[in-house]
Amino acid sequence: MRTEWWQSGVIYQIYPRSFQDSNGDGIGDLDGITSRLSYFEELGIDAIWISPIFPSPMKDFGYDVSNYDDIDPIFGSMKDFDRLIKEAHARDIKVILDFVPNHSSDQHPWFQESKSSRENPKRDWYIWRDPKSDGSPPNNWISDFGGPAWTFDPTTNQYYSHAFLKEQPDLNWRNSHVRLEMYDSMRKWFNRGVDGFRLDVLWHVIKAQDFRDNPVNPDYKPHMGEMHKVLQLNSTDQPEAIEVAREMRALADRYDGRVLIGEIYLPFEKLVKYYGPKQDGVHMPFNFTLIDAEWKADTIFDLIARYEASLPPGAWPNWVLGNHDRPRIASRVGLAQARVAATLLLTLRGTPTMYYGDELGMEDGVIPLERVVDPREILDPGKGLGRDPVRTPMPWTPDGGFTEGEPWLPQHTDRNVEDEMQFDSSMLNMYKLLLALRRAHPALSLGSIALESAESNVLIYRREHGDEILRVALNFSDRDQTIAIPNADRMIFSTLLSAPETSGETVTLRANEAIIIEAD
Ligand code: NOJ
């Protein structure tokens, strides 16, 4: 079977506002990313996914798009973009863009037209419904950011739906003109050379045709955030969303080697439907389960087993430890376990997606109240749902090195690239080593996986490709654990970057240590 670059490769997510500023305005940009391409080469990743860079009023920092076919001046120009693509490709680095199909900005000319009158030809491009007889919203749907998913428009006396901010009206994907326009934009970016798309909230794109209420969530607790008051059964994950995925795939398949990744938060049995009935949906529906998993060997064993078992034949797996919406791995499990997590991510079967800064062990930043900018925090405050802490500027040097101006979010530099380059056992150097091993050993990138055990909080699995067999052992505990393992002396990697004690067929893993061993 021919393997594609996105199967053997590693994807690195860039939050562009925070990666590298080149013009001193305190916000990262495309030229900044281009200037750091050699960093990716040295690190050893294969593709960058850049969160949205299209023109936007930035109410949701780019996830509110007002023109799908251009670049926001804050990030640069189309010329800068073309240069980034050219220079990335010259280094054999692929570029994945972040496409936002479910909603546009309320400033998009389409919405401006749509809301201008009920008779406007674009009225049906968004989702408009009459109020209930008492004037209240058409149903009980709640926005993911809290509050009703409906906003009343007094000019035309109807409500429009928005799964997120009221400034992010939902597009009506049941309207064929909307589909054609969106596919046309994707085509334009493919023609410019982009290697794929991450598709924002793909499972949201179609809502139940009759707009019935969502069922009330019996397990709701206030700390979860308001959106969890109801179960989003009718506002998301309709069978027609998979049709949309298939149409996008048909478009991508007209080009060579392009990838579609769906952002979808659903349980496995629902998630895998987005591969399409004949493997003709998205190439990879994101698997986010490690983000919420209880950090214990037997839980993770079970999770891997269930995921692998749920994959339809031929479906390619993928794994994620964190992203721009969720607390960072180092803050969730601690710095020592973050090394174990990195080993897990880069040795499981399937494509890993790394989040910028995790390779340094970056932790959630501290954001003083007066610097909070994320609408998620502002609208549903005090529950720890805000995303500013995971979007702080990339620390390049002890002085920052991100911008010459005032960074848009506070810059933390206690861990930074320059320092970490210098000491051998840093998180960064450990990542480099793991990425190089993954590249050198097809067993790690393409091999089969066999789960072996999860005793004493140590997870062990085997990866196999051709006649190469590697065994991975991960100590999820903060205590030494002696385990029986064949060929214990043939270790090729330890997160502590020095060999643990072995004796015959046993090895004593140190607290929070993961190792890779050659086997036969
Ligand atoms: C998911 C994105 O990851 C998140 O950052 C954004 O706020 C919502 N979708 C809305 O587009």
Side-chain angles (χ1 to χ4, degrees):
M1 201 183 100
R2 165 170 158 208
T3 51
E4 303 285 347
W5 63 266
W6 49 266
Q7 296 181 289
S8 55
V10 175
I11 302 171
Y12 182 101
Q13 181 191 356
I14 293 176
Y15 195 68
R17 295 179 72 86
S18 298
F19 198 65
Q20 177 66 65
D21 179 21
S22 73
N23 62 1
D25 66 358
I27 297 175
D29 46 44
L30 293 175
D31 276 354
I33 297 173
T34 307
S35 73
R36 293 294 185 184
L37 286 173
S38 56
Y39 176 71
F40 303 128
E41 267 185 311
E42 246 186 90
L43 185 60
I45 53 96
D46 300 84
I48 51 177
W49 143 35
I50 311 174
S51 283
I53 49 174
F54 314 106
S56 164
M58 300 290 167
K59 295 285 182 199
D60 190 20
F61 300 106
Y63 286 95
D64 47 327
V65 177
S66 54
N67 177 352
Y68 287 93
D69 299 335
D70 210 342
I71 301 287
D72 194 288
I74 243 179
F75 297 121
S77 65
M78 202 54 108
K79 242 171 88 195
D80 301 335
F81 179 75
D82 288 340
R83 196 162 65 88
L84 168 61
I85 290 267
K86 196 164 152 234
E87 295 200 12
H89 285 173
R91 293 170 147 91
D92 210 13
I93 294 170
K94 311 283 187 201
V95 179
I96 299 171
L97 289 190
D98 200 323
F99 201 69
V100 190
N102 177 69
H103 45 270
S104 73
S105 157
D106 63 342
Q107 299 308 306
H108 196 299
W110 299 341
F111 187 70
Q112 293 295 312
E113 279 192 53
S114 183
K115 68 177 250 196
S116 66
S117 87
R118 290 198 188 198
E119 285 72 45
N120 188 280
K122 293 212 169 64
R123 183 65 170 180
D124 186 50
W125 284 37
Y126 292 83
I127 299 171
W128 294 96
R129 307 290 293 173
D130 287 333
K132 283 191 181 156
S133 53
D134 65 354
S136 62
N139 64 26
N140 71 349
W141 295 357
I142 297 174
S143 144
D144 280 20
F145 290 160
W150 297 95
T151 288
F152 187 69
D153 168 44
T155 318
T156 57
N157 286 321
Q158 280 191 313
Y159 281 90
Y160 64 89
S161 91
H162 51 90
F164 297 88
L165 296 175
K166 68 179 189 340
E167 292 87 356
Q168 292 169 297
D170 291 332
L171 281 155
N172 178 12
W173 275 80
R174 294 186 187 274
N175 179 305
S176 57
H177 299 286
V178 168
R179 293 190 186 204
L180 290 178
E181 280 289 338
M182 296 299 266
Y183 298 153
D184 198 45
S185 296
M186 291 173 77
R187 197 173 300 122
K188 286 180 191 149
W189 291 108
F190 277 141
N191 289 340
R192 278 206 118 81
V194 314
D195 299 286
F197 291 103
R198 174 260 191 196
L199 301 161
D200 189 67
V201 295
L202 185 60
W203 85 114
H204 271 270
V205 290
I206 303 263
K207 335 288 172 201
Q209 197 132 32
D210 61 1
F211 291 91
R212 56 195 180 278
D213 274 357
N214 275 327
V216 169
N217 178 4
D219 302 320
Y220 169 72
K221 306 268 175 327
H223 70 85
M224 295 171 163
E226 250 194 81
M227 65 175 277
H228 295 288
K229 279 184 175 162
V230 294
L231 301 169
Q232 296 185 325
L233 293 185
N234 302 320
S235 51
T236 68
D237 192 32
Q238 300 299 299
E240 297 92 332
I242 291 151
E243 292 311 306
V244 171
R246 294 175 75 196
E247 288 176 7
M248 291 178 169
R249 173 64 174 271
L251 171 64
D253 279 350
R254 290 203 221 136
Y255 299 82
D256 251 359
R258 314 296 164 107
V259 67
L260 295 179
I261 308 168
E263 187 211 16
I264 301 161
Y265 284 90
L266 284 176
F268 291 145
E269 68 279 8
K270 293 184 177 181
L271 178 73
V272 297
K273 297 233 164 75
Y274 288 78
Y275 282 109
K278 298 186 202 124
Q279 292 296 300
D280 54 354
V282 293
H283 299 89
M284 293 188 284
F286 261 142
N287 165 15
F288 294 120
T289 45
L290 286 178
I291 298 182
D292 289 315
E294 187 192 17
W295 205 250
K296 276 174 54 204
D298 50 4
T299 316
I300 307 276
F301 180 105
D302 178 57
L303 186 152
I304 300 167
R306 283 191 297 111
Y307 180 54
E308 286 280 346
S310 73
L311 291 172
W316 187 252
N318 76 90
W319 296 94
V320 178
L321 278 181
N323 59 37
H324 64 293
D325 294 326
R326 308 303 300 276
R328 283 187 180 272
I329 183 68
S331 294
R332 300 203 311 269
V333 301
L335 269 171
Q337 272 297 315
R339 289 177 178 246
V340 173
T343 313
L344 183 71
L345 177 71
L346 295 175
T347 62
L348 279 174
R349 189 177 86 91
T351 305
T353 301
M354 295 169 53
Y355 185 50
Y356 87 94
D358 280 355
E359 73 275 24
L360 306 173
M362 243 173 117
E363 293 173 272
D364 293 351
V366 179
I367 313 290
L369 218 51
E370 67 280 9
R371 299 230 21 204
V372 170
V373 289
D374 180 19
R376 182 91 180 83
E377 177 65 31
I378 294 167
L379 293 176
D380 204 356
K383 297 177 182 155
L385 300 170
R387 302 165 297 179
D388 295 327
V390 303
R391 298 175 174 179
T392 55
M394 179 78 168
W396 294 100
T397 64
D399 296 331
F402 160 71
T403 181
E404 283 173 3
E406 179 60 31
W408 75 288
L409 280 176
Q411 165 116 61
H412 304 279
T413 55
D414 32 337
R415 309 176 69 79
N416 63 77
V417 174
E418 192 178 297
D419 284 351
E420 291 208 23
M421 289 268 189
Q422 275 157 37
F423 82 102
D424 289 348
S425 61
S426 67
M427 183 79 84
L428 179 58
N429 282 325
M430 186 207 71
Y431 258 95
K432 278 197 213 167
L433 211 62
L434 269 173
L435 285 159
L437 274 176
R438 196 184 152 86
R439 201 175 286 276
H441 295 278
L444 292 179
S445 53
L446 298 171
S448 60
I449 187 165
L451 288 162
E452 294 194 330
S453 61
E455 273 145 45
S456 315
N457 218 359
V458 175
L459 173 64
I460 304 181
Y461 49 83
R462 209 173 58 233
R463 302 291 316 274
E464 192 167 341
H465 184 79
D467 46 19
E468 182 180 51
I469 304 176
L470 297 176
R471 202 169 256 115
V472 184
L474 308 112
N475 183 359
F476 281 76
S477 80
D478 56 5
R479 272 188 257 148
D480 290 2
Q481 302 285 0
T482 301
I483 51 165
I485 203 162
N487 316 104
D489 55 334
R490 282 167 52 192
M491 199 199 73
I492 57 169
F493 170 81
S494 158
T495 44
L496 302 179
L497 303 168
S498 64
E501 213 175 283
T502 61
S503 123
E505 300 282 89
T506 67
V507 54
T508 301
L509 284 174
R510 289 160 286 181
N512 310 303
E513 179 178 27
I515 57 171
I516 306 175
I517 290 180
E518 279 179 329
D520 35 40

